[in-house]
Amino acid sequence: MSSPDPAPGRLALTAPLSGLIVPLTEVPDPTFAEKMVGDGVSIDPTSEVLLSPCDGRVTLLHPAHHALTVTTPDGVEVLMHIGLETVGLKGRGFTPKVREGDEVTAGQPLIAFDAAYLARNAASLLTQIVISNGDKVYEYHPSAGRAEAGRTIVLELTLAGPPAGAAPSPPKDRAASAAGAGGEAASPELVILNPEGLHARPTAVLANSAKRFTAEIRLVKGDREANAKSVVAVMGLDVKRHDRVRIIADGLDAAEAVEALAAMIQSGLGENLHGRPKEAPAPAPAAPAPARSDEPGLLRGVSASTGLATGRIFQLRRAEIIVSEKGGDPEAERRALLAALEEAKKELAGLENKLRLSADVGKAAIFAAHQEILEDPELMTATLVGLDRGQSAAFAWRAAVQTQADTLKNLNNELLAGRANDVHDVGRRVLAKLTGQDDGPAPIPEEAILVAEDLTPSDVTGFDRHRVLGFCTTGGGATSHVAILARAAGLPAVAAIDRRALEAPDGTPAVLDGEKGELRLNPSAEEIERVRGLQRQADLDREKDLAEAARPAVTLDGHRFKVVANIGGLAEAKESVTQGGEGVGLLRSEFLFLERSEAPSEEEQGSVYQAIAKALGPERDLVVRTLDVGGDKPLAYLPLAPEVNPFLGVRGIRLNKVAPELFAAQVRAALTAAGFTRLHLMFPMIATVEEIREARAVVEREGEALKVQAPVAVGIMVEVPAAAMLAEGLAAEVDFFSIGTNDLTQYTLAIDRGHPSLAKMADGLHPAVLALIDRTVRGAHRHGKWVGVCGGLAGEPAAVPILLGLGVDELSVSVGSIAAVKAAIRRCRLDRCRGLAGEALARLTAAEVRALAGEFLEREREDDHVERV
């Protein structure tokens, strides 16, 4: 029996087992879910004999007999892995039916296994069928549903390159032909436009992309050069904004490598070239720590994460890992090193995958960068040199890590110097595995305010929030990964604190003020009570709002409004339901596309959209905003020509023109969720009716092809003034509007909301912005279409009554704000809100509107108090 071959250049793989086909992204092992081994599918088996999915030769049979590879005549390597964590069974439960080198045909038995034994002794029976040499494949088409062994096609492949028998394509030109035979290629000088130069994140993108090529690749700056496949080596060049560099490559694919990497550098390596770096989206880099305070007990530093905490000091100190310099057999030391590196890599990949699934894209990117450090060729070379000198793996690794960290720390660049901490973090992780020693701190007591010379990202992600109330470090800064993680976790934090903090005994009472960047030791009872009073009141307000979160948001005069969530992934979707959310008003789908070197597959996207839809259920809306990148969110794998002003260039829906298949694939993936929830698709950055019609045509075409039966609403983001001005006409083309007040404010006032000195003027309560919201609502309502607000203004207490008064139907806010916004609506009277909105439209400045809103809220509070009394 031979495998079906539907067309030249294609390969169809039949099911090696009977059972349910499972998307690879749902396999509970990051090695497969992150497609580190390769792309493909998984099967939850009901049969117990693994069959060959195609004709070919057995090129690998693992000694544990749980995995095997069949290589097709086209050279495609089909790896099959029975179960998870089955290598430790050492062959027990498996009976191979073939040997390495055997020629096999599709449907031939390969391995028999005892499913009952595996079920008791392995993590899972899920069996993976993946292509381990993905360069041979152009496109994957996995199947879904149930499979019958030897009959059902579970995976169709479009093979890379010309179909068998086709004449080879002629070379593009003489240079390309020469490069194909090997040789050196070089780029012209490239000007670095990244705001912070080549720091960790763009360097990681560059190194990861360079690793795709076989050529030796160097990044040259002046008379210095670095291995472009090494994160630390490139960062060691200290490449700043406006520096000039060149890419030089030597090897078979040198010309291709130079062309691709040069284009990526010019497009920013996934980073905004005209604004603040994505690495520090919160406060701007802080100034050096203020001068030492003369006030007793008051220690000053730099704000790293805002918030207040009252607790007791705990000095976080690490035990030194003891290593022996002299090593044993060099080959044994090398094997120990590789095993420790592999174990650390799996841990980091697991952390990254868990955070991505939780929509913590920023945190996930940190641990993705740690994996790049772990794979750094310069770090490995330095360690191997140590092994050749007779050093132990632990000693050589520690020395290499220290050298690399010192290189970064001594750079005249605060941001890059701060990344030395990341190198130390990765280094300690591997060192602990090499030695079996735990360098962690002593157990942390309750109500702790931690003091340390420095902390690592791994430290912060591992903190028990019931014990750790905040922390301060003598090192670091507002742009460090530790500060970013503290802000994400809502932990007050101070960096660059006065070193006298290290002298404070454990148990010392303290107040940490993250906003002011201060630590007060031995505060007075009155000060402690004042801070705790503020905390208690905030907690009481939150508790009351959460207790009533499930109640609808109905004003005192009987008008109901929907409060839904802005989310970036499955975890937030689930949390929004528990917080009282009535649906999702904005799914930022770009969380699937950012911080990675290649686009997510259609199957990966579809599985995520479906999971989110199922979490919400059929009674709630799910509004999926199609890919909104460009401007401040470029994609490393979609190089765009450099633009003088990317916020006015190719971004949002305009990418449909540049990458139409990327858009169509996302639409197809989103449509697979239509049967699980009330699906809405929303297009970003719409300025013309033609853009709506073109995008809607894609939705209709793909919906017909997929035979989607469930209704799917189509809407647009109103964030360009042109869309607001044409609202009445555009309303005839769509089912709903959602106003993105952040961009609408930016474009209306001509102020970049990330500008260091002008951003504070970009106020969404500016009367001009309110006038555009008013015009949008009026235009939509004349056609019976609803309007939501999904920008930051929807969650501002001062803005809520004004938006209600302007006639907005829905407010879409961050998950943590849902209960508070619903509570705020319940305190309003719509007739009074309409009066407030009318007065706000008549003002001339945002400050006047805010003063007006403040007076209104104060009057409402007083009236509410009188009524309750």
Side-chain angles (χ1 to χ4, degrees):
M1 174 180 180
S2 80
S3 58
D5 188 6
R10 294 177 70 85
L11 174 66
L13 303 180
T14 55
L17 293 164
S18 296
L20 182 67
I21 301 171
V22 177
L24 205 60
T25 53
E26 294 183 13
V27 174
D29 182 334
T31 304
F32 293 107
E34 288 287 293
K35 302 181 182 178
M36 288 183 264
V37 179
D39 205 349
V41 296
S42 182
I43 293 178
D44 193 356
T46 55
S47 59
E48 298 184 50
V49 178
L50 185 79
L51 308 181
S52 180
C54 57
D55 296 344
R57 185 166 58 89
V58 178
T59 51
L60 170 70
L61 177 60
H62 195 281
H65 300 156
H66 70 300
L68 133 162
T69 295
V70 173
T71 302
T72 72
D74 291 313
V76 178
E77 298 171 355
V78 184
L79 169 66
M80 286 155 281
H81 189 287
I82 303 171
L84 299 178
E85 299 181 24
T86 45
V87 66
L89 299 180
K90 302 185 184 305
R92 291 186 296 273
F94 298 98
T95 304
K97 302 292 185 181
V98 291
R99 293 177 297 182
E100 279 190 13
D102 285 356
E103 297 290 336
V104 295
T105 57
Q108 181 176 333
L110 302 174
I111 300 173
F113 57 91
D114 185 340
Y117 179 81
L118 266 58
R120 292 192 304 271
N121 295 281
S124 171
L125 281 172
L126 284 172
T127 296
Q128 287 59 246
I129 304 95
V130 298
I131 309 304
S132 55
N133 56 342
D135 58 306
K136 293 282 187 180
V137 181
Y138 175 72
E139 200 168 25
Y140 296 79
H141 303 277
S143 302
R146 300 202 66 82
E148 183 180 350
R151 294 185 178 276
T152 308
I153 293 175
V154 292
L155 183 64
E156 284 194 79
L157 309 173
T158 302
L159 303 184
S169 301
K172 293 181 180 179
D173 52 36
R174 188 183 301 272
S177 179
E184 188 172 86
S187 73
E189 281 196 333
L190 307 166
V191 179
I192 299 298
L193 297 177
N194 300 66
E196 298 292 346
L198 297 189
H199 59 95
R201 187 165 295 155
T203 298
V205 172
L206 177 67
N208 193 48
S209 301
K211 290 173 186 174
R212 301 200 311 259
F213 301 98
T214 59
E216 177 186 314
I217 306 171
R218 289 162 285 156
L219 183 72
V220 180
K221 172 190 169 186
D223 59 354
R224 299 172 60 209
E225 64 180 47
N227 181 351
K229 299 178 182 180
S230 165
V231 174
V232 173
V234 172
M235 289 200 297
L237 287 179
D238 192 15
V239 181
K240 298 183 176 68
R241 183 180 176 100
H242 298 141
D243 280 352
R244 295 175 180 274
V245 299
R246 298 172 67 216
I247 293 283
I248 296 178
D250 189 6
L252 290 176
D253 52 2
E256 181 186 355
V258 167
E259 181 182 4
L261 297 178
M264 293 181 71
I265 288 175
Q266 289 176 316
S267 67
L269 294 165
E271 197 170 56
N272 175 22
L273 297 181
H274 299 273
R276 294 162 65 192
K278 289 166 60 180
E279 192 118 22
R292 170 185 290 220
S293 168
D294 293 328
E295 186 177 339
L298 180 62
L299 304 177
R300 290 192 175 127
V302 172
S303 173
S305 179
T306 60
L308 282 170
T310 62
R312 295 184 178 274
I313 295 295
F314 179 73
Q315 298 285 349
L316 199 69
R317 297 185 176 96
R318 293 182 175 279
E320 183 181 357
I321 293 181
I322 307 299
V323 301
S324 171
E325 179 175 358
K326 184 172 177 56
D329 175 59
E331 187 55 36
E333 296 287 346
R334 179 188 175 94
R335 287 196 299 270
L337 173 66
L338 294 177
L341 291 169
E342 185 63 27
E343 191 176 349
K345 181 179 179 181
K346 287 181 179 178
E347 276 188 6
L348 290 169
L351 277 170
E352 182 196 0
N353 188 48
K354 179 180 177 181
L355 291 167
R356 285 197 186 280
L357 292 175
S358 301
D360 287 330
V361 177
K363 293 184 191 178
I366 291 171
F367 289 103
H370 279 203
Q371 291 174 71
E372 292 294 336
I373 294 173
L374 195 64
E375 297 174 353
D376 190 281
E378 300 287 313
L379 201 56
M380 177 60 79
T381 298
T383 306
L384 294 178
V385 167
L387 296 185
D388 290 340
R389 293 172 179 166
Q391 295 172 352
S392 69
F395 186 91
W397 172 259
R398 188 176 67 178
V401 166
Q402 189 61 52
T403 299
Q404 297 283 25
D406 287 345
T407 299
L408 295 175
K409 194 174 290 185
N410 294 328
L411 294 175
N412 187 26
N413 182 311
E414 180 184 353
L415 191 65
L416 292 181
R419 296 304 175 257
N421 194 30
D422 294 283
V423 175
H424 274 305
D425 192 4
V426 173
R428 276 200 294 267
R429 185 182 292 273
V430 175
L431 200 59
K433 298 187 182 311
L434 275 170
T435 63
Q437 300 176 46
D438 182 7
D439 71 335
I444 298 173
E446 294 182 352
E447 297 188 346
I449 294 177
L450 305 182
V451 178
E453 290 197 356
D454 221 332
L455 295 171
T456 67
S458 296
D459 291 330
V460 180
T461 55
F463 284 156
D464 181 349
R465 289 299 310 278
H466 297 294
R467 294 179 176 272
V468 178
L469 305 181
F471 64 83
C472 52
T473 59
T474 57
T479 61
S480 72
H481 281 154
V482 166
I484 293 168
L485 290 170
R487 292 193 288 269
L491 270 176
V494 176
I497 194 74
D498 188 319
R499 291 191 64 84
R500 288 180 293 173
L502 297 172
E503 301 167 8
D506 286 349
T508 303
V511 171
L512 183 69
D513 189 329
E515 187 168 355
K516 292 182 180 179
E518 294 178 351
L519 176 69
R520 185 178 293 278
L521 302 175
N522 296 306
S524 66
E526 292 78 8
E527 173 66 8
I528 291 176
E529 187 53 38
R530 183 188 71 82
V531 173
R532 287 180 173 169
L534 293 172
Q535 293 173 317
R536 281 195 298 269
Q537 188 56 54
D539 290 342
L540 286 173
D541 290 343
R542 275 194 297 271
E543 287 175 11
K544 181 183 177 184
D545 293 345
L546 284 171
E548 300 179 343
R551 289 177 51 205
V554 181
T555 62
L556 293 170
D557 47 357
H559 297 273
R560 180 169 182 172
F561 292 85
K562 286 183 70 175
V563 180
V564 293
N566 296 335
I567 68 169
L570 177 58
E572 286 187 305
K574 293 178 178 177
E575 181 66 12
S576 73
V577 175
T578 67
Q579 296 281 328
E582 299 170 274
V584 167
L586 171 64
L587 171 60
R588 302 183 185 94
S589 64
E590 52 272 11
F591 84 94
L592 283 164
F593 294 80
L594 296 171
E595 312 297 350
R596 55 194 297 165
S597 59
E598 59 183 19
S601 68
E602 190 174 320
E603 293 72 26
E604 179 185 353
Q605 292 183 65
S607 66
V608 173
Y609 298 141
Q610 290 171 43
I612 292 172
K614 291 174 185 176
L616 296 175
E619 72 280 6
R620 292 183 179 90
D621 292 347
L622 168 59
V623 179
V624 179
R625 181 177 67 189
T626 59
L627 186 58
D628 184 20
V629 293
D632 59 343
K633 294 175 289 188
L635 295 177
Y637 49 85
L638 186 63
L640 300 173
E643 298 177 297
V644 175
N645 191 337
F647 283 98
L648 300 181
V650 179
R651 64 168 298 201
I653 198 64
R654 296 167 187 172
L655 280 169
N656 189 15
K657 298 279 192 184
V658 177
E661 183 48 40
L662 190 70
F663 178 72
Q666 184 181 27
V667 168
R668 289 193 297 271
L671 288 173
T672 64
F676 304 107
T677 190
R678 296 203 298 249
L679 182 66
H680 296 57
L681 294 182
M682 179 165 68
F683 310 131
M685 286 294 296
I686 291 292
T688 69
V689 70
E690 290 87 355
E691 289 171 332
I692 296 175
R693 290 171 179 168
E694 290 172 5
R696 186 157 197 160
V698 174
V699 175
E700 292 170 352
R701 181 190 73 217
E702 301 298 343
E704 289 176 5
L706 293 173
K707 296 181 172 56
V708 175
Q709 301 299 317
V712 178
V714 172
I716 65 168
M717 291 279 287
V718 176
E719 45 197 341
V720 176
M725 296 300 293
L726 295 174
E728 185 172 352
L730 299 184
E733 303 282 336
V734 296
D735 302 307
F736 67 95
F737 290 151
S738 187
I739 302 172
T741 53
N742 300 350
D743 270 327
L744 183 61
T745 301
Q746 172 172 259
Y747 290 125
T748 301
L749 301 181
I751 293 174
D752 180 352
R753 51 193 168 96
H755 194 285
S757 60
L758 299 179
K760 60 186 178 183
M761 297 169 56
D763 193 329
L765 285 181
H766 192 287
V769 179
L770 297 180
L772 290 175
I773 295 174
D774 178 57
R775 187 181 183 101
T776 300
V777 172
R778 292 177 184 275
H781 286 180
R782 288 192 185 103
H783 287 271
K785 308 297 171 64
W786 62 268
V787 180
V789 173
C790 63
L793 208 61
E796 282 197 39
V800 168
I802 295 176
L803 294 174
L804 301 187
L806 290 173
V808 168
D809 304 289
E810 174 183 286
L811 297 179
S812 190
V813 299
S814 63
V815 173
S817 299
I818 293 171
V821 170
K822 292 179 80 172
I825 292 173
R826 295 190 206 102
R827 292 191 291 268
C828 290
R829 293 171 177 79
L830 187 56
D831 58 343
R832 294 186 185 181
C833 292
R834 286 170 176 156
L836 171 65
E839 291 185 59
L841 289 170
R843 295 296 193 269
L844 290 176
T845 69
E848 291 174 0
V849 173
R850 288 197 175 274
L852 189 69
E855 294 169 3
F856 175 86
L857 292 174
E858 187 60 34
R859 286 197 306 271
E860 292 296 300
R861 276 193 292 268
E862 291 174 359
D863 289 350
D864 181 53
H865 176 72
V866 170
E867 286 185 13
R868 284 190 284 110
V869 171

